[in-house]
Amino acid sequence: MKKDIMICGVGGQGTVLASKIIAASAMDAGFTVHSAETIGMAQRGGPVTSHVRIGDDAFSPLIPVGGADLLIAFEPSEAVRNLKYLKKDGFVIVNTVPVKPTSLGSSEGSNGKAEIEFVKSKCRCLTVNSDELCAPFGSSKFFNVAVLGTAAGSGELGLSKEIICDEIVKIVPERFREKNMAAFAAGYKLGEENNANQ
Amino acid sequence: MSKKYVMGNGAIALGALSAGVNLVAGYPGTPSSEIIETVVRYPHEGTYAEWSVNEKAAMEVAAAAAYCGARAMVTMKQVGLNVASDPLMSLAYVGVKGGMVVVSADDPGPISSQTEQDTRRFAEFARIPVFDPSSPEEAFEMVQDAFEYSEKYRTPVILRPTTRVDHAYASIEAPDTFHAREYGGFVKDSKKWVIFPRLSYMNHAMIEKRNTEIGEDFSSYRFNTVSGSSAKAIAATGVSYAYAAEFLKAYPDIRLIKVGTPYPLPESFLLNALEGVSEVLCFEELSPYIEESLLKLIGKHHLNISIRGKLTGDVPPSGENDADSAGRIISRFLGLEYAESSIDCSGAPQPPARPPVLCAGCPHRASFYAVKRAMKGKKAYFCGDIGCYTLGNAMPLDMVDTCLCMGAGITMAQGFNHMDKDAVAISFTGDSTFFASGISGVVNAVYNAADMILCILDNSTTAMTGHQPHPGTGRNLMAAPVEKVSIEKLLIAAGVTKVITVDPLDLDASTAAVKECAGIKGVKAVIFKSPCVAIVKPDKKMRTDSGKCVGCMRCIREIGCPALSVSGGKAVIDGNLCTGCGLCSQLCKFGAIGGAEE
Ligand code: SF4
Ligand code: SF4
């Protein structure tokens, strides 16, 4: 398999954990993996990206523009910011819930609708609402694992449910395991439904 | 042996452990911090590791180890090398016995740094060899080679990864347990280990001669490579090589020269590689180092080759390269059509700027706000420093007027005080920065009779770089509980006239402490003590009462906490982010924020 996956969002949304689980799962499935993260000052609420490159012919850690097979966007405007990295026939999974930049102060900022419409008009895309998806788990902090489920269920990730679940068990601290597994399952179901609808 | 999926910094650590490193010391700094953290994570026997108080201390601790014949590694970010340059420059003359590798991580962009300086220049300046890895895999091998070369030539050697190598993950096949090497111990010899002008004179001559030999030696080094045979060639180093190689996969005939050891220049290798070449594009980051080296080389050998790169405007002078710029720049040079096969994003809604902000509930926000309140209506200069709290510059806090380098907040506030007696001079210094390089500034201020307020933002960690311990935390890297070094006692011992320790989350007490200090002559200090919320996870959160909230937006306007936002004209708190610090509730005049719940 050769697959370039980009994950984007805002610092603090838990994108790094998602990329770690994908990388570990792909390695378990026997592939060569390279990945790269945003670390440092930008982690404090800035735009963050993770690049996960599966396959033998990736030389560099960063996915080239127009190179990603799959873009998992944790935030609508971040999906737009990084859409240029997607292949023309690539697939986007995007969260519809916006994160308002603190710099906007007391103005309300975008509700994310225009961004989602734009993404939809440009590529194959599946929208996910993190608030709704994570409501049963009490916190949108579980979105990172839930959306992994969506990616797996949609068939776009190319990795089996079992392998990913094994990695979640290994990587996530025990006390959060149960909720993460449930979040993954909920996300998976959503992805599967989408897959069936296509 | 097993495969380990680690970041480049982890690969460097595993390489050093595989080389039997005896001592590792460093000071945290993005993108280098994870090296030392990884060293202590794997089972190792006989390897001593420490977070030193700053890079100069680390360099000196390591130098002693290398004098003993032990293998030593020092880690830092590029600006840390400025701090450690005093011992390094002398050490280059004195030389070492055991292998000594100085890891100085450069940060093209810059992504998390004050400068875009190029450590390859530093290596040349100090006349010591430098290795430039293009991937984590290569860094793993290069650090081991670096120890060998260091011992062979008895000189400290630099390994210079860049952010994209440090923070890229790859699988590394490495042992599972490690043992440090046996070493002989220190043999006294003052003609060798005591630097004097005469010794420096002799060694300088020796070093220049030796460096020519190292250049020859490097000419057969396995990470200096050439592929393809075209007359137009690309020369690349570090991660830029990886971008170029990936793009040129489709053009295997194009000559691609990789320089893994920029200094001393592997001249014979390059002369060979340039055989039949008419034009070279140097694709590199930071400074035009290879470009200038090649210009010198072709001048020396009267070669008719044109050298292109940053100096000719083909490659941007600043910022980082990436896969995309590699494609564009190399295509232009080769006269290829570069077809961007990405989605047309014209007409996209403009994504908002997202400058980094202090975390929700960060105690620094409260400290800044207290000082702001206390100084309201007064003329004051706010001298910031390096750490998360540099972010206190952002609106609406706007409490950082200057930030220069580690420790400069204190000394600059002193300078402002001498230049403008009408203003209150205030410095903000984090606890780790205080230990790293703040103390001498305090002594300088007291000695020179300054009038100023030191604000020490003590959050019990080195937050920005990933929460490393420091002398005030009572923990060190070997995890042993150690005596806490008291900031308060240090300040008192230095002669600071008034030292008040407050909890910044108590807004009124904090404001009063600052006001009190402002009324006293001399050097005064307020220690704002409250842990970083990223390490001490509070389990409370606040709520707004929409019935009481009148929509004045004072809380949002004044403090800029990312957990606060507006919805339907009222302030709302994001329960996922709020830590219940209570700062906003102390601001609300209508009692609309409260109800901390467990
Ligand atoms: S209590 Fe207020 S200021 Fe503190 S974290 Fe929560 S919303 Fe932010
Ligand atoms: S990591 Fe700690 S010190 Fe840094 S902004 Fe967050 S709470 Fe503040």
Side-chain angles (χ1 to χ4, degrees):
Chain A
M1 179 166 76
K2 186 194 164 294
K3 212 172 244 306
D4 283 342
I5 301 162
M6 185 182 236
I7 305 173
C8 66
V10 177
Q13 284 191 307
T15 51
V16 175
L17 181 70
S19 93
K20 272 199 177 143
I21 295 172
I22 295 178
S25 308
M27 282 212 313
D28 253 19
F31 301 111
T32 306
V33 185
H34 288 89
S35 55
E37 308 287 355
T38 312
I39 293 172
M41 194 173 250
Q43 279 178 296
R44 316 263 177 269
V48 292
T49 53
S50 297
H51 300 238
V52 185
R53 312 197 68 185
I54 304 172
D56 282 321
D57 45 351
F59 283 86
S60 77
L62 301 183
I63 298 171
V65 167
D69 300 279
L70 173 62
L71 174 67
I72 304 178
F74 282 45
E75 207 275 344
S77 61
E78 294 310 310
V80 171
R81 198 191 304 277
N82 293 292
L83 199 62
K84 62 172 193 245
Y85 286 99
L86 194 72
K87 272 190 188 148
K88 281 191 171 146
D89 59 348
F91 188 69
V92 178
I93 298 176
V94 54
N95 181 11
T96 55
V97 179
V99 175
K100 199 194 87 175
T102 308
S103 55
L104 282 185
S106 49
S107 62
E108 298 209 6
S110 165
N111 61 8
K113 291 215 166 71
E115 286 81 3
I116 295 291
E117 282 317 310
F118 182 78
V119 173
K120 275 187 173 163
S121 73
K122 291 289 175 184
C123 55
R124 292 190 301 128
C125 155
L126 168 57
T127 57
V128 184
N129 180 310
S130 60
D131 288 345
E132 287 169 16
L133 186 58
C134 296
F137 318 110
S139 165
S140 55
K141 285 193 172 142
F142 295 99
F143 181 68
N144 52 6
V145 171
V147 76
L148 269 189
T150 309
S154 72
E156 301 284 341
L157 196 55
L159 295 165
S160 80
K161 189 179 186 174
E162 291 70 31
I163 286 192
I164 302 173
C165 287
D166 277 357
E167 290 310 323
I168 295 176
V169 169
K170 276 189 227 158
I171 294 175
V172 170
E174 177 145 17
R175 63 204 159 100
F176 299 124
R177 191 174 296 160
E178 210 176 304
K179 274 196 179 167
N180 273 297
M181 292 307 244
F184 180 84
Y188 192 89
K189 198 162 148 258
L190 194 76
E192 241 179 353
E193 283 163 14
N194 175 70
N195 202 2
N197 291 343
Q198 264 184 0
Chain B
M1 296 288 268
S2 64
K3 267 202 188 305
K4 299 169 178 64
Y5 193 63
V6 290
M7 63 164 82
N9 282 337
I12 293 169
L14 289 171
L17 287 167
S18 301
V21 69
N22 299 91
L23 179 143
V24 186
Y27 184 75
T30 313
S32 72
S33 312
E34 299 83 4
I35 303 173
I36 290 197
E37 289 169 342
T38 313
V39 165
V40 294
R41 194 169 320 134
Y42 287 96
H44 57 276
E45 209 172 280
T47 303
Y48 169 83
E50 74 170 39
W51 280 128
S52 307
V53 85
N54 59 35
E55 295 86 353
K56 173 172 147 67
M59 186 76 74
E60 292 154 354
V61 167
Y67 284 14
C68 291
R71 284 192 164 181
M73 181 167 77
V74 220
T75 74
M76 61 200 68
K77 68 184 296 176
Q78 86 288 47
V79 287
L81 192 59
N82 302 340
V83 176
S85 63
D86 196 4
L88 181 66
M89 295 305 287
S90 297
L91 189 64
Y93 280 83
V94 174
V96 294
K97 187 167 150 206
M100 175 158 166
V101 177
V102 177
V103 183
S104 170
D106 282 349
D107 185 24
I111 301 172
S112 308
S113 303
Q114 305 95 295
T115 70
E116 272 203 307
Q117 64 190 72
D118 189 331
T119 294
R120 297 175 299 175
R121 302 262 175 214
F122 230 120
E124 183 180 8
F125 182 43
R127 321 302 288 166
I128 58 177
V130 57
F131 291 73
D132 191 357
S134 69
S135 66
E137 291 93 333
E138 213 169 272
F140 172 71
E141 292 190 39
M142 273 190 176
V143 68
Q144 301 178 62
D145 300 338
F147 278 112
E148 298 292 334
Y149 277 93
S150 171
E151 275 161 14
K152 182 168 174 192
Y153 293 100
R154 307 211 153 205
T155 175
V157 166
I158 294 179
L159 178 82
R160 175 243 20 178
T162 54
T163 307
R164 298 297 180 187
V165 171
D166 292 302
H167 291 167
Y169 283 77
S171 310
I172 303 288
E173 180 87 25
D176 299 310
T177 56
F178 301 92
H179 299 276
R181 305 213 323 171
E182 301 283 326
Y183 56 93
F186 183 58
V187 179
K188 293 191 186 195
D189 181 353
S190 66
K191 286 201 283 302
K192 193 168 177 178
W193 302 124
V194 180
I195 193 163
F196 265 119
R198 171 98 198 126
L199 178 79
S200 302
Y201 167 76
M202 285 181 344
N203 282 2
H204 186 187
M206 179 278 290
I207 287 165
E208 294 305 330
K209 187 162 158 287
R210 174 204 74 194
N211 281 355
T212 314
E213 288 165 31
I214 298 180
E216 270 313 294
D217 204 343
F218 278 165
S219 283
S220 57
Y221 183 53
R222 69 185 183 291
F223 291 120
N224 291 319
T225 59
V226 56
S227 61
S229 56
S230 57
K232 280 189 158 195
I234 316 292
T237 73
V239 74
S240 297
Y241 167 79
Y243 301 137
E246 185 164 333
F247 175 71
L248 290 175
K249 243 183 340 192
Y251 310 94
D253 295 341
I254 300 298
R255 193 180 311 220
L256 175 58
I257 303 168
K258 174 173 159 220
V259 187
T261 54
Y263 183 84
L265 198 69
E267 289 198 11
S268 310
F269 159 75
L270 285 167
L271 289 172
N272 246 322
L274 293 173
E275 198 78 50
V277 167
S278 59
E279 219 176 339
V280 186
L281 174 76
C282 299
F283 190 59
E284 57 191 321
E285 291 173 319
L286 304 173
S287 73
Y289 186 79
I290 293 300
E291 192 177 350
E292 288 175 7
S293 300
L294 289 183
L295 282 169
K296 275 190 236 168
L297 187 71
I298 62 157
K300 188 168 153 189
H301 295 272
H302 306 288
L303 302 176
N304 187 15
I305 301 176
S306 79
I307 308 290
R308 310 195 65 91
K310 287 175 181 275
L311 299 175
T312 52
D314 293 79
V315 178
S318 61
E320 65 169 339
N321 294 331
D322 58 24
D324 188 43
S325 63
R328 254 184 301 110
I329 293 167
I330 295 174
S331 297
R332 199 187 308 128
F333 172 70
L334 296 174
L336 300 171
E337 194 73 43
Y338 181 59
E340 274 220 2
S341 69
S342 59
I343 289 167
D344 174 17
C345 288
S346 50
Q350 180 66 32
R354 295 188 191 273
V357 285
L358 295 170
C359 299
C362 174
H364 297 333
R365 177 176 291 108
S367 306
F368 282 124
Y369 190 69
V371 177
K372 187 173 190 168
R373 251 196 5 177
M375 288 298 118
K376 200 168 180 183
K378 286 206 172 72
K379 185 177 178 194
Y381 298 126
F382 304 114
C383 298
D385 220 303
I386 308 285
C388 283
Y389 53 100
T390 315
L391 299 176
N393 76 319
M395 288 302 186
L397 286 172
D398 188 20
M399 283 296 286
V400 176
D401 296 328
T402 68
C403 175
L404 187 63
C405 66
M406 288 286 287
I410 295 174
T411 21
M412 289 191 71
Q414 187 205 326
F416 281 117
N417 172 239
H418 294 311
M419 290 297 101
D420 186 350
K421 298 285 179 204
D422 298 334
V424 187
I426 296 185
S427 64
F428 291 99
T429 313
D431 39 355
S432 189
T433 305
F434 176 79
F435 288 115
S437 54
I439 299 170
S440 53
V442 175
V443 175
N444 198 57
V446 172
Y447 171 53
N448 291 300
D451 219 339
M452 61 182 284
I453 304 175
L454 306 161
C455 294
I456 310 293
L457 307 178
D458 182 357
N459 63 356
S460 301
T461 188
T462 315
M464 178 57 101
T465 48
H467 305 97
Q468 293 79 11
H470 62 62
T473 61
R475 273 181 310 124
N476 69 17
L477 202 54
M478 306 302 273
V482 289
E483 199 64 39
K484 284 187 189 177
V485 179
S486 157
I487 296 176
E488 193 171 311
K489 285 186 190 159
L490 278 171
L491 291 174
I492 293 168
V496 172
T497 45
K498 179 90 195 168
V499 181
I500 308 176
T501 300
V502 287
D503 175 0
L505 302 181
D506 183 340
L507 186 56
D508 287 339
S510 298
T511 311
V514 178
K515 281 191 175 151
E516 183 182 345
C517 285
I520 304 171
K521 279 245 154 266
V523 180
K524 297 85 52 180
V526 181
I527 303 174
F528 294 94
K529 200 167 169 52
S530 182
C532 165
V533 292
I535 48 166
V536 178
K537 283 267 177 251
D539 41 14
K540 294 183 300 187
K541 48 187 90 154
M542 292 278 179
R543 271 187 275 113
T544 49
D545 182 335
S546 58
K548 289 189 189 159
C549 174
V550 299
C552 71
M553 302 305 160
R554 180 175 149 88
C555 56
I556 294 176
R557 263 198 342 263
E558 296 274 296
I559 57 173
C561 171
L564 282 166
S565 63
V566 192
S567 177
K570 309 258 176 183
V572 288
I573 291 177
D574 180 343
N576 290 315
L577 294 177
C578 175
T579 68
C581 79
L583 180 63
C584 57
S585 66
Q586 295 172 68
L587 277 174
C588 179
K589 291 183 169 156
F590 304 93
I593 308 177
E597 57 184 48
E598 294 298 309

